[in-house]
Amino acid sequence: MNVGIINATSYFGIDLIRLLAGHPGLAVTAVTARSQAGKTLGEVFPHLRATDPTVAALTLTPDLDGSLDLVFSCLPHAVSAPALLPFIAAGVPVIDVSADFRLNDAAEFKRWYDSNHPAPELLDRTVYGLTEIHRDAIRSTTIVGNPGCYPTATLLALAPAFAASIVEPDVIVDAKSGVSGAGRSLKLDSHYSEVNESVHAYGVAGHRHSAEMTQELTALAGAPVAVNFVPHLVPMTRGILATCYAALRQSTSAADIAAVYRDFCRDEPFLHYSEVPPRTKWVAGTNHSFLHAVLDQTGRRLVAFGVIDNLVKGAAGQGVQNANLMLGLDETAGL
């Protein structure tokens, strides 16, 4: 099956190409870029000449052409949805890595992204692409909004507890990410001399990803959930560690909490329960996530951990996982 990638020279795009190079049923046949249009992928990313000469020979064009079975968009929010509209109209399945199809309420989109939603009439057709929560819905849709990287790590860490109704609907999320989460665009805060040997919080008053966390946790809880989310930038290239805190509804043992998390992960190909707090190095370059949860010292609060690679499970890998479901393939193919 043929796959097109809009804005293939983004961090998401290049990891997507890396994963699809080993996919048994999908092949990248069309790629676009803005500033590098006219160049081949191999000119922009020389390593592809050795690892995937066929893809390296593809020319980056302003627009996708050819017959495609699925399209990924790696464009920024408010730009991505308009670029996907022709494919949606033609019935081609699409996966959007921006925020355009993550929130199911146009008013919430405007609140958090300070612009009108570019295609509000499509929101009732879209599915939030956290595979482990919305697997069946993803199989039957043609429009997926790939989750943000912070929400992926956070929701996976908290989903077992909310699904089992063992915590109150009020959570604190302390998450730390590698610099690649900021994308390839130049920003002062992501320069090497600013990031190296330093850690800092940002988006403290309300990071946009809070909206996704609130939406999905509220759906799991069946009642409004309050989310206090503070992200931090740490001096590493890739990876996210989310540490989440929630009060327990009633007295619960450490063994019972471990059983909840172990059961949640049991049949999931990319989720793993860990007996100890996980590390980002465990998942680097992979679509896997490790979860861990404990009682705090008071015995009244859950502390849950989740680690992912922000460019794979937090972006390209989850995109491939969703594409497999949408196209009727084995969910783990290419991963």
Side-chain angles (χ1 to χ4, degrees):
M1 296 183 184
N2 297 333
V3 171
I5 304 174
I6 302 173
N7 196 24
T9 56
S10 63
Y11 282 144
F12 174 90
I14 192 57
D15 245 33
L16 188 55
I17 290 167
R18 173 180 70 86
L19 294 171
L20 291 175
H23 199 291
L26 301 178
V28 178
T29 58
V31 287
T32 79
R34 290 170 289 184
S35 59
Q36 297 97 343
K39 296 181 179 179
T40 66
L41 267 175
E43 290 178 279
V44 180
F45 299 109
H47 70 277
L48 288 175
R49 301 176 197 173
T51 59
D52 196 337
T54 301
V55 172
L58 291 175
T59 298
L60 291 157
T61 57
D63 301 294
L64 291 180
D65 54 17
S67 177
L68 298 170
D69 298 292
L70 183 136
V71 172
F72 288 95
S73 174
C74 310
L75 289 169
H77 69 270
V79 179
S80 193
L84 289 172
L85 289 180
F87 301 101
I88 294 171
V92 177
V94 301
I95 295 176
D96 180 20
V97 73
S98 84
D100 285 355
F101 294 120
R102 292 176 186 166
L103 302 180
N104 54 30
D105 186 323
E108 281 294 287
F109 180 88
K110 184 172 184 178
R111 174 191 172 196
W112 290 97
Y113 291 91
D114 197 29
S115 63
N116 291 324
H117 195 280
E121 71 281 0
L122 294 177
L123 293 182
D124 61 354
R125 294 174 49 193
T126 67
V127 175
Y128 186 74
L130 188 63
T131 322
E132 288 74 14
I133 304 300
H134 297 296
R135 181 174 283 111
D136 290 340
I138 291 167
R139 284 194 177 101
S140 59
T141 190
T142 57
I143 309 173
V144 163
N146 225 51
C149 50
Y150 278 125
T152 296
T154 299
L155 294 170
L156 292 177
L158 288 171
F162 274 96
S165 299
I166 63 172
V167 292
E168 298 289 353
D170 190 342
V171 300
I172 296 172
V173 180
D174 178 329
K176 298 168 179 66
S177 173
V179 185
S180 61
R184 294 189 72 198
S185 299
L186 294 177
K187 305 177 187 71
L188 178 61
D189 278 353
S190 58
H191 288 185
Y192 175 82
S193 55
E194 300 291 332
V195 175
N196 187 46
E197 298 185 12
S198 179
V199 177
H200 73 270
Y202 63 100
V204 176
H207 191 282
R208 289 168 169 172
H209 283 178
S210 300
E212 294 174 53
M213 299 176 190
T214 301
Q215 172 182 282
E216 295 301 308
L217 290 176
T218 294
L220 281 170
V225 175
V227 177
N228 291 98
F229 166 53
V230 180
H232 300 76
L233 193 66
V234 297
M236 63 184 186
T237 300
R238 58 204 298 162
I240 286 179
L241 166 65
T243 305
C244 311
Y245 306 85
L248 292 165
R249 285 185 179 275
Q250 57 190 26
S251 179
T252 305
S253 71
D256 286 343
I257 289 173
V260 164
Y261 275 74
R262 195 177 288 110
D263 288 347
F264 189 88
C265 295
R266 179 167 289 115
D267 297 321
E268 292 293 341
F270 299 109
L271 298 188
H272 313 280
Y273 174 74
S274 173
E275 298 289 347
V276 297
R279 305 184 182 197
T280 56
K281 277 193 173 183
W282 295 0
V283 295
T286 79
N287 196 54
H288 294 273
S289 177
F290 283 85
L291 311 181
H292 176 69
V294 296
L295 287 171
D296 75 351
Q297 63 269 30
T298 70
R300 297 193 298 270
R301 184 177 290 110
L302 176 81
V303 184
F305 305 87
V307 294
I308 62 167
D309 184 314
N310 58 293
L311 294 180
V312 189
K313 184 58 177 170
Q318 188 151 231
V320 172
Q321 193 176 354
N322 289 329
N324 288 337
L325 290 173
M326 295 170 79
L327 296 174
L329 305 174
D330 185 317
E331 183 179 330
T332 65
L335 298 168

